[in-house]
Amino acid sequence: MLKGILLVFFGACSFGILSTFVKLAYHDGYTLGDVTGAQAFFGAVILWVLFFFQSRTSSYKAKEIKLITPRWKMVLAGTCTGLVSIFYYQCVKLVPNSVAIILLMQFIWLSILLEFIIYKKKPTGLQFLAILLVFRWNHFSQRNG
């Protein structure tokens, strides 16, 4: 569970840093397409480099690779990720970085709510804690920002 918390934390930090670079890119005359395309390109390059090094290890060569997830689900996941980038970068263009990050972090409670509505899965205690923390952080950011 700590691993998941840390991954969310580092993801939030990377979006915070990223918004600064996006603002600088817009200031230098780059467009939404330029910024999003560059992110996709460099992300793909990094993933291919990681794959190249991983595929050279003996433990990787010994594994039999079997596709478990259907391709359409992979395409859907990639499309959703791309749309988040596009909407987030457009938001960063129109509002201050801090507001864009706060809006982005609303996915925590919105995804839990959708999971409850669609799958009838009740939130766990940890999920309720996450929702309370997001609401509390929103409260602090509105009072101090």
Short mmCIF file of all heavy atoms in Angstrom, two decimals, residues 63-88:
data_model
loop_
_atom_site.label_atom_id
_atom_site.label_comp_id
_atom_site.label_asym_id
_atom_site.label_seq_id
_atom_site.Cartn_x
_atom_site.Cartn_y
_atom_site.Cartn_z
N LYS A 63 11.50 -15.56 -19.72
CA LYS A 63 10.04 -15.46 -19.62
C LYS A 63 9.38 -15.65 -20.98
O LYS A 63 9.90 -15.21 -22.00
CB LYS A 63 9.62 -14.10 -19.07
CG LYS A 63 9.94 -13.90 -17.62
CD LYS A 63 9.44 -12.53 -17.18
CE LYS A 63 9.82 -12.26 -15.76
NZ LYS A 63 9.41 -10.93 -15.35
N GLU A 64 8.23 -16.29 -20.94
CA GLU A 64 7.42 -16.39 -22.14
C GLU A 64 6.41 -15.24 -22.10
O GLU A 64 5.64 -15.11 -21.16
CB GLU A 64 6.68 -17.73 -22.18
CG GLU A 64 5.84 -17.90 -23.42
CD GLU A 64 5.10 -19.23 -23.44
OE1 GLU A 64 5.67 -20.22 -22.96
OE2 GLU A 64 3.96 -19.25 -23.91
N ILE A 65 6.44 -14.41 -23.11
CA ILE A 65 5.58 -13.23 -23.13
C ILE A 65 4.22 -13.62 -23.71
O ILE A 65 4.12 -14.20 -24.78
CB ILE A 65 6.21 -12.10 -23.96
CG1 ILE A 65 7.52 -11.69 -23.32
CG2 ILE A 65 5.25 -10.92 -24.07
CD1 ILE A 65 8.29 -10.69 -24.13
N LYS A 66 3.18 -13.31 -22.94
CA LYS A 66 1.82 -13.63 -23.35
C LYS A 66 0.96 -12.39 -23.11
O LYS A 66 0.94 -11.85 -22.02
CB LYS A 66 1.33 -14.79 -22.51
CG LYS A 66 -0.02 -15.31 -22.90
CD LYS A 66 -0.31 -16.59 -22.13
CE LYS A 66 -1.60 -16.44 -21.40
NZ LYS A 66 -1.95 -17.61 -20.61
N LEU A 67 0.30 -11.92 -24.15
CA LEU A 67 -0.57 -10.75 -24.02
C LEU A 67 -1.84 -11.14 -23.27
O LEU A 67 -2.54 -12.06 -23.65
CB LEU A 67 -0.94 -10.19 -25.39
CG LEU A 67 0.18 -9.52 -26.17
CD1 LEU A 67 -0.33 -9.07 -27.53
CD2 LEU A 67 0.72 -8.34 -25.41
N ILE A 68 -2.10 -10.44 -22.19
CA ILE A 68 -3.27 -10.73 -21.36
C ILE A 68 -4.39 -9.73 -21.65
O ILE A 68 -5.54 -10.09 -21.75
CB ILE A 68 -2.89 -10.69 -19.86
CG1 ILE A 68 -1.86 -11.75 -19.58
CG2 ILE A 68 -4.11 -10.88 -18.99
CD1 ILE A 68 -1.26 -11.67 -18.19
N THR A 69 -4.01 -8.48 -21.81
CA THR A 69 -4.99 -7.41 -21.99
C THR A 69 -5.30 -7.26 -23.49
O THR A 69 -4.39 -7.18 -24.30
CB THR A 69 -4.42 -6.09 -21.46
OG1 THR A 69 -4.02 -6.28 -20.12
CG2 THR A 69 -5.46 -4.99 -21.53
N PRO A 70 -6.59 -7.22 -23.84
CA PRO A 70 -6.95 -7.00 -25.25
C PRO A 70 -6.42 -5.65 -25.75
O PRO A 70 -6.31 -4.69 -24.99
CB PRO A 70 -8.48 -7.01 -25.24
CG PRO A 70 -8.88 -7.64 -23.97
CD PRO A 70 -7.77 -7.41 -23.00
N ARG A 71 -6.12 -5.60 -27.01
CA ARG A 71 -5.55 -4.39 -27.60
C ARG A 71 -6.48 -3.18 -27.47
O ARG A 71 -6.03 -2.07 -27.26
CB ARG A 71 -5.20 -4.62 -29.07
CG ARG A 71 -4.03 -5.56 -29.24
CD ARG A 71 -3.62 -5.62 -30.71
NE ARG A 71 -2.72 -6.71 -30.97
CZ ARG A 71 -1.41 -6.68 -30.77
NH1 ARG A 71 -0.87 -5.58 -30.31
NH2 ARG A 71 -0.66 -7.70 -31.04
N TRP A 72 -7.78 -3.40 -27.60
CA TRP A 72 -8.70 -2.27 -27.52
C TRP A 72 -8.67 -1.61 -26.15
O TRP A 72 -8.83 -0.40 -26.05
CB TRP A 72 -10.13 -2.68 -27.92
CG TRP A 72 -10.83 -3.57 -26.93
CD1 TRP A 72 -10.84 -4.93 -26.90
CD2 TRP A 72 -11.62 -3.15 -25.82
NE1 TRP A 72 -11.56 -5.38 -25.85
CE2 TRP A 72 -12.08 -4.31 -25.16
CE3 TRP A 72 -11.99 -1.90 -25.30
CZ2 TRP A 72 -12.87 -4.28 -24.03
CZ3 TRP A 72 -12.79 -1.87 -24.17
CH2 TRP A 72 -13.22 -3.04 -23.55
N LYS A 73 -8.42 -2.40 -25.09
CA LYS A 73 -8.31 -1.81 -23.76
C LYS A 73 -7.03 -0.99 -23.64
O LYS A 73 -7.01 0.04 -22.97
CB LYS A 73 -8.35 -2.89 -22.69
CG LYS A 73 -9.71 -3.49 -22.46
CD LYS A 73 -9.70 -4.45 -21.30
CE LYS A 73 -11.07 -5.02 -21.04
NZ LYS A 73 -11.05 -5.96 -19.90
N MET A 74 -5.97 -1.46 -24.28
CA MET A 74 -4.71 -0.71 -24.25
C MET A 74 -4.87 0.62 -25.00
O MET A 74 -4.40 1.66 -24.55
CB MET A 74 -3.59 -1.54 -24.88
CG MET A 74 -3.29 -2.83 -24.13
SD MET A 74 -2.62 -2.53 -22.50
CE MET A 74 -0.99 -2.01 -22.93
N VAL A 75 -5.55 0.57 -26.14
CA VAL A 75 -5.78 1.80 -26.91
C VAL A 75 -6.65 2.77 -26.11
O VAL A 75 -6.38 3.97 -26.07
CB VAL A 75 -6.42 1.46 -28.28
CG1 VAL A 75 -6.89 2.72 -28.99
CG2 VAL A 75 -5.43 0.69 -29.15
N LEU A 76 -7.68 2.24 -25.46
CA LEU A 76 -8.55 3.09 -24.65
C LEU A 76 -7.79 3.74 -23.51
O LEU A 76 -7.94 4.94 -23.25
CB LEU A 76 -9.74 2.29 -24.12
CG LEU A 76 -10.75 3.06 -23.29
CD1 LEU A 76 -11.41 4.15 -24.13
CD2 LEU A 76 -11.80 2.11 -22.73
N ALA A 77 -6.94 2.96 -22.84
CA ALA A 77 -6.14 3.52 -21.74
C ALA A 77 -5.19 4.60 -22.25
O ALA A 77 -5.05 5.66 -21.62
CB ALA A 77 -5.36 2.41 -21.05
N GLY A 78 -4.57 4.37 -23.38
CA GLY A 78 -3.67 5.37 -23.95
C GLY A 78 -4.40 6.62 -24.38
O GLY A 78 -3.91 7.74 -24.20
N THR A 79 -5.60 6.45 -24.92
CA THR A 79 -6.41 7.59 -25.33
C THR A 79 -6.79 8.44 -24.13
O THR A 79 -6.71 9.67 -24.16
CB THR A 79 -7.67 7.11 -26.08
OG1 THR A 79 -7.27 6.34 -27.21
CG2 THR A 79 -8.53 8.27 -26.52
N CYS A 80 -7.21 7.78 -23.05
CA CYS A 80 -7.57 8.51 -21.84
C CYS A 80 -6.38 9.28 -21.28
O CYS A 80 -6.51 10.43 -20.87
CB CYS A 80 -8.14 7.56 -20.79
SG CYS A 80 -9.75 6.89 -21.25
N THR A 81 -5.22 8.64 -21.28
CA THR A 81 -4.01 9.31 -20.79
C THR A 81 -3.68 10.53 -21.67
O THR A 81 -3.33 11.59 -21.15
CB THR A 81 -2.82 8.33 -20.79
OG1 THR A 81 -3.16 7.20 -19.98
CG2 THR A 81 -1.57 8.97 -20.26
N GLY A 82 -3.80 10.37 -22.96
CA GLY A 82 -3.53 11.48 -23.87
C GLY A 82 -4.51 12.63 -23.67
O GLY A 82 -4.12 13.80 -23.69
N LEU A 83 -5.79 12.29 -23.47
CA LEU A 83 -6.78 13.34 -23.24
C LEU A 83 -6.54 14.08 -21.94
O LEU A 83 -6.74 15.30 -21.87
CB LEU A 83 -8.19 12.74 -23.27
CG LEU A 83 -8.69 12.31 -24.65
CD1 LEU A 83 -10.02 11.57 -24.54
CD2 LEU A 83 -8.81 13.50 -25.58
N VAL A 84 -6.10 13.35 -20.90
CA VAL A 84 -5.76 14.03 -19.64
C VAL A 84 -4.65 15.04 -19.88
O VAL A 84 -4.71 16.18 -19.40
CB VAL A 84 -5.35 13.00 -18.56
CG1 VAL A 84 -4.68 13.69 -17.39
CG2 VAL A 84 -6.55 12.23 -18.08
N SER A 85 -3.63 14.66 -20.65
CA SER A 85 -2.54 15.59 -20.94
C SER A 85 -3.04 16.81 -21.70
O SER A 85 -2.69 17.94 -21.36
CB SER A 85 -1.45 14.89 -21.77
OG SER A 85 -0.82 13.90 -21.01
N ILE A 86 -3.85 16.59 -22.70
CA ILE A 86 -4.35 17.71 -23.50
C ILE A 86 -5.18 18.66 -22.64
O ILE A 86 -4.98 19.88 -22.66
CB ILE A 86 -5.17 17.19 -24.70
CG1 ILE A 86 -4.22 16.54 -25.71
CG2 ILE A 86 -5.96 18.31 -25.36
CD1 ILE A 86 -4.91 15.78 -26.81
N PHE A 87 -6.13 18.11 -21.87
CA PHE A 87 -6.98 18.96 -21.04
C PHE A 87 -6.18 19.66 -19.94
O PHE A 87 -6.41 20.82 -19.63
CB PHE A 87 -8.13 18.16 -20.43
CG PHE A 87 -9.12 17.67 -21.45
CD1 PHE A 87 -9.68 16.41 -21.34
CD2 PHE A 87 -9.52 18.47 -22.51
CE1 PHE A 87 -10.60 15.97 -22.27
CE2 PHE A 87 -10.43 18.04 -23.45
CZ PHE A 87 -10.97 16.77 -23.32
N TYR A 88 -5.22 18.94 -19.35
CA TYR A 88 -4.41 19.53 -18.29
C TYR A 88 -3.55 20.67 -18.83
O TYR A 88 -3.47 21.74 -18.24
CB TYR A 88 -3.54 18.46 -17.64
CG TYR A 88 -2.63 19.00 -16.56
CD1 TYR A 88 -3.16 19.48 -15.37
CD2 TYR A 88 -1.25 19.03 -16.72
CE1 TYR A 88 -2.34 19.97 -14.37
CE2 TYR A 88 -0.43 19.52 -15.73
CZ TYR A 88 -0.97 19.98 -14.56
OH TYR A 88 -0.16 20.47 -13.57
#
